Amino acid sequence: MNSIILHIPHSSKLIPKKYLNYFFLNQTELEEEINLMTDHFTKELFNINLSNISSIVFPVSRLLVDPERFEVDKDEIMSEVGMGCIYEKTSHGKNLKDCSEIREILLDKYYRPHHKNFYNLVKSKLDNSENVIIFDCHSFPLNRLPYEVSKVKNRPEICIGTDAFHTPKKIKNMIFNNFKSLGFTVDLNSPFSGSIVPLPYYKKNKKVISIMIEVRRDIYMDEKTYKKNKTFNKIHNALSKVIGNISKIEV
């Protein structure tokens, strides 16, 4: 079987108290922004109990640090809207926090250790497997937020993000067809695209395979109360089935 790594970057709501005074939002505004931007329950949704699966979960809110962005702003397209790896703006373009004093502190404490651990995990799996398949695990709201690049209105229940170098056509097609056969609406790279790979392997090693799965939040939770809905277990089981199927195929 292939080694599978589940990368879960946006599930945490935690902002340690010592950083709160750097935020411009009051408590109510900050809680609202956290709820808008968190990939709610993805740690549970992608909790798949198979012997060949490992997971890596980012420990703090993306509003503090976003490990899915490039560290250098000039390399990161989302920095153009103030949402590089250290967010300066909210999802609606308002000032979020003062980053001048804490950028390097946050990078050293959270961003760089996460990426080092991510690389080491992939490396250790490659030493014992022919391939490593990274699933980049996300969710997204039913309705578009202003910061989003894509303006697509009819958002699928499942969005599959691919990378031209790191996502084999066989895996892309199999995942797409698996979700379709389970009754989901599915799009490729819409409204979100791409999938994470540790930088030392990026565009260099095809044995490091990566594919993103984005689940539309309203199909597993109530977006007003931020609680799971009655179909949560159904969605969890569907993800387990699809990822389990991928873990067995020859690439």
Side-chain angles (χ1 to χ4, degrees), residues 50-170:
L50 291 173
S51 61
N52 61 325
I53 292 183
S54 303
S55 63
I56 180 167
V57 182
F58 195 60
V60 295
S61 170
R62 67 191 294 191
L63 297 189
L64 192 65
V65 184
D66 190 339
E68 288 270 319
R69 310 291 201 232
F70 287 111
E71 180 177 339
V72 180
D73 279 348
K74 68 179 179 63
D75 297 330
E76 177 54 59
I77 189 171
M78 295 307 295
S79 67
E80 296 175 10
V81 292
M83 300 178 84
C85 64
I86 309 295
Y87 291 5
E88 298 177 359
K89 299 287 187 179
T90 70
S91 58
H92 287 68
K94 296 181 179 179
N95 290 329
L96 177 66
K97 66 180 183 287
D98 180 359
C99 304
S100 57
E101 294 181 13
I102 58 169
R103 179 181 174 86
E104 282 300 313
I105 293 171
L106 294 175
L107 289 174
D108 280 340
K109 186 168 180 61
Y110 296 110
Y111 186 95
R112 290 165 183 151
H114 177 81
H115 281 276
K116 182 179 180 181
N117 292 338
F118 186 29
Y119 165 73
N120 286 338
L121 179 58
V122 173
K123 184 178 184 299
S124 70
K125 297 301 180 182
L126 270 182
D127 290 342
N128 298 291
S129 304
E130 182 67 24
N131 299 288
V132 173
I133 303 176
I134 299 165
F135 282 92
D136 202 11
C137 307
H138 294 264
S139 71
F140 65 102
L142 173 62
N143 297 310
R144 176 184 177 271
L145 292 171
Y147 83 94
E148 295 177 19
V149 175
S150 173
K151 292 180 171 57
V152 172
K153 292 183 178 179
N154 296 321
R155 292 152 80 93
E157 294 171 324
I158 302 290
C159 165
I160 298 169
T162 65
D163 179 273
F165 187 92
H166 290 280
T167 310
K169 184 177 180 181
K170 180 178 182 179

Side-chain angles (χ1 to χ4, degrees), residues 3-42:
S3 286
I4 303 290
I5 295 174
L6 305 176
H7 183 252
I8 304 172
H10 296 155
S11 64
S12 177
K13 294 183 177 183
L14 175 65
I15 298 176
K17 289 182 180 179
K18 64 181 177 180
Y19 300 117
L20 290 175
N21 62 331
Y22 292 96
F23 284 79
F24 300 126
L25 308 182
N26 62 40
Q27 183 177 349
T28 300
E29 291 169 333
L30 184 56
E31 287 178 358
E32 181 180 352
E33 185 66 12
I34 288 172
N35 279 327
L36 287 174
M37 293 297 292
T38 298
D39 288 358
H40 298 268
F41 305 117
T42 46

Side-chain angles (χ1 to χ4, degrees), residues 145-228:
L145 292 171
Y147 83 94
E148 295 177 19
V149 175
S150 173
K151 292 180 171 57
V152 172
K153 292 183 178 179
N154 296 321
R155 292 152 80 93
E157 294 171 324
I158 302 290
C159 165
I160 298 169
T162 65
D163 179 273
F165 187 92
H166 290 280
T167 310
K169 184 177 180 181
K170 180 178 182 179
I171 286 184
K172 175 186 70 175
N173 290 343
M174 184 173 178
I175 292 177
F176 183 93
N177 291 331
N178 269 212
F179 279 118
K180 290 285 283 186
S181 70
L182 291 170
F184 294 97
T185 58
V186 191
D187 273 347
L188 291 171
N189 294 310
S190 177
F192 302 96
S193 61
S195 192
I196 196 168
V197 175
L199 277 178
Y201 295 118
Y202 187 56
K203 304 296 185 188
K204 297 175 183 176
N205 190 335
K206 285 186 176 289
K207 292 183 178 181
V208 180
I209 295 164
S210 187
I211 193 155
M212 180 172 67
I213 298 180
E214 293 253 9
V215 185
R216 206 177 70 202
R217 289 178 199 150
D218 66 297
I219 69 172
Y220 71 86
M221 62 174 277
D222 186 317
E223 290 193 87
K224 293 182 179 178
T225 63
Y226 301 105
K227 295 180 179 179
K228 299 174 190 175

